[in-house]
Amino acid sequence: MKVYESLIQSAKRWPNKAAIIDQEGELSFEDLLTKVELLKNELISRGYGSGHGLAICTNNDRQFLIALYAALGTGAIVMPISIQQKESEIKTALKDAKLHAILTTSKIVSK
């Protein structure tokens, strides 16, 4: 089973169970899937999908998981980038990866 499909199955099986518990509180499987679908559809509407390279550069929180599932749901190739890496390491990784887009948050961009 693919990772994205496992989220769909989990949301069907346990819609109200907590999928994520973090500093923002609980997020159920159903609510997680809803957020993932919104981002996935936005990515598709912008032309991203199978064969595209998408990086994810966020904090280690629910935004990372939402972006990861959404990007995988489009069929894209996903490259997680740790924000704890040095700037030079991130630049080298991005240069070598030939990505089509980077998914991040305003918190990361402002750094």
Side-chain angles (χ1 to χ4, degrees):
M1 180 183 309
K2 294 180 180 178
V3 174
Y4 179 73
E5 292 169 353
S6 71
L7 174 61
I8 294 170
Q9 292 302 315
S10 296
K12 286 179 183 176
R13 184 178 281 163
W14 308 293
N16 299 316
K17 292 224 180 213
I20 298 172
I21 301 172
D22 63 9
Q23 68 277 7
E24 294 182 45
E26 287 190 9
L27 186 65
S28 70
F29 280 102
E30 185 175 59
D31 290 341
L32 174 60
L33 181 60
T34 298
K35 290 178 182 294
V36 167
E37 286 292 315
L38 286 170
L39 180 55
K40 181 188 91 170
N41 291 334
E42 179 65 24
L43 291 169
I44 291 169
S45 75
R46 292 178 182 233
Y48 299 112
S50 182
H52 287 105
L54 299 176
I56 301 172
C57 186
T58 67
N59 289 315
N60 189 15
D61 59 14
R62 67 178 59 195
Q63 299 309 319
F64 173 80
L65 290 173
I66 292 166
L68 177 66
Y69 278 116
L72 291 172
T74 69
I77 301 161
V78 180
M79 178 182 169
I81 298 173
S82 172
I83 61 169
Q84 295 177 339
Q85 288 179 297
K86 296 176 185 173
E87 185 177 340
S88 62
E89 294 171 333
I90 293 173
K91 285 181 179 179
T92 299
L94 294 176
K95 179 181 153 199
D96 293 343
K98 299 178 184 169
L99 298 167
H100 295 89
I102 301 170
L103 307 179
T104 190
T105 63
S106 57
K107 291 178 190 175
I108 304 301
V109 172
S110 64
K111 287 184 180 181

